[in-house]
Amino acid sequence: MKKTLTAIALAALAFSAHAAEKLTIGATAVPHAEILEFVKPTLTKQGVDLQIKVFTDYVQPNVQVAEKKLDGNFFQHQPYLGEFNKGKGTNLVSVAGVHIEPFGAYSTKVKKLADLKDGATIAIPNDATNGGRALLLLDKAGVVKLKDNKNILATSKDIAENPKKLKIRELEAATLPRILGQVDVALINTNYALEAKLNPTKDALIIEGNDSPYVNILVARPDNKDSAAMKKLSAALQSPETKKFILEKYKGAVVPAF
């Protein structure tokens, strides 16, 4: 009888472990996947099997959430998500704001932007929101002057004044660290800068302040944004423990937004 009860108990435990709710989240490697890896043990204890799928681009993580190949993703800010939804006809939603990655300008050729020569080449991301973000930062630094310095979707066509006749090249965000030596300045998203071993707080010629509106968010679909597993992930990402992890690991290159 005891053996039977023991077998039943073991089977129940095995079933319970097997029944942990699986949650698959797409993320870029740094810092998003690293932050997810940090909260993974907490979620395991709460009965959530967090699976992390790493991407190197900004399109597929959203496409795969919309197609239900992923439960959610963690790599983008709200302005980018809004433009993606508008352009692709999707309706992905923000679940929680987690951190800010201050956007910066980098160079291997000049020590400060004032040293840029006439006709120098500046590379910026080619997606609408990050390209606009780069131009706003250049405007704030006095390198160029935009027609409207509040327009987060500004393009090179919106440059009103360009006294040094700088050449603006629009390239895929992920490629910018790799071509840094081929241009005079590149404006690079912090996740890609960190992957390339650039230290935003030390290496950036200019960098956004902590008041940046580009908070990186956990994203899901309307049908699963309120699921129990998603709520547990959201809570873990906004916990005091996660805040401490971000502050200690990234030392200002990534800033908690909660």
Side-chain angles (χ1 to χ4, degrees):
M1 183 67 175
K2 286 184 178 180
K3 289 183 178 180
T4 302
L5 290 173
T6 301
I8 292 173
L10 289 172
L13 286 172
F15 176 79
S16 176
H18 181 70
E21 185 172 358
K22 185 177 179 180
L23 194 65
T24 305
I25 303 295
T28 43
V30 182
H32 306 84
E34 292 177 342
I35 296 172
L36 289 172
E37 289 287 357
F38 174 76
V39 302
K40 187 171 182 175
T42 297
L43 292 172
T44 299
K45 294 175 183 177
Q46 297 176 357
V48 177
D49 176 16
L50 178 62
Q51 297 293 312
I52 304 162
K53 185 175 180 181
V54 176
F55 289 83
T56 58
D57 73 291
Y58 287 166
V59 177
Q60 280 302 308
N62 276 340
V63 170
Q64 293 193 26
V65 173
E67 293 177 347
K68 298 188 176 183
K69 295 177 181 177
L70 294 172
D71 297 305
N73 64 49
F74 178 38
F75 76 95
Q76 66 195 312
H77 47 63
Q78 185 64 54
Y80 180 86
L81 176 62
E83 280 302 298
F84 186 92
N85 280 335
K86 182 179 177 181
K88 302 293 185 180
T90 51
N91 63 340
L92 305 181
V93 296
S94 172
V95 178
V98 182
H99 69 269
I100 295 167
E101 298 172 17
F103 196 74
Y106 301 84
S107 177
T108 60
K109 298 182 179 180
V110 297
K111 296 295 184 181
K112 54 185 184 293
L113 291 177
D115 294 337
L116 284 170
K117 297 179 180 179
D118 289 358
T121 299
I122 296 183
I124 66 174
N126 66 358
D127 63 274
T129 51
N130 285 307
R133 185 180 184 183
L135 291 171
L136 289 175
L137 188 57
L138 291 173
D139 177 281
K140 186 176 181 180
V143 177
V144 299
K145 185 174 181 179
L146 297 174
K147 298 173 185 175
D148 177 7
N149 63 6
K150 302 296 182 183
N151 179 15
I152 64 172
L153 299 179
T155 70
S156 56
K157 295 179 180 178
D158 297 308
I159 296 175
E161 296 179 20
N162 184 2
K164 289 192 174 183
K165 295 181 172 54
L166 302 172
K167 299 172 185 175
I168 307 296
R169 290 182 62 190
E170 299 178 358
L171 301 169
E172 186 177 348
T175 69
L176 293 176
R178 298 198 292 272
I179 59 90
L180 183 56
Q182 302 171 33
V183 298
D184 294 287
V185 172
L187 284 99
I188 304 174
N189 293 77
T190 292
N191 60 310
Y192 291 132
L194 291 173
E195 286 181 36
K197 308 303 181 186
L198 293 169
N199 185 328
T201 58
K202 294 181 180 179
D203 299 328
L205 304 182
I206 52 172
I207 195 167
E208 289 175 333
N210 292 352
D211 58 347
S212 168
Y214 297 91
V215 176
N216 280 227
I217 52 180
L218 173 65
V219 169
R221 298 181 304 274
D223 68 282
N224 73 344
K225 68 181 180 68
D226 294 319
S227 71
M230 196 66 72
K231 286 182 177 180
K232 289 175 182 177
L233 174 56
S234 175
L237 288 172
Q238 294 183 326
S239 70
E241 293 79 12
T242 299
K243 177 178 285 189
K244 182 180 178 182
F245 170 78
I246 292 172
L247 290 171
E248 292 181 352
K249 182 171 179 64
Y250 302 108
K251 296 177 173 56
V254 179
V255 182
F258 56 91

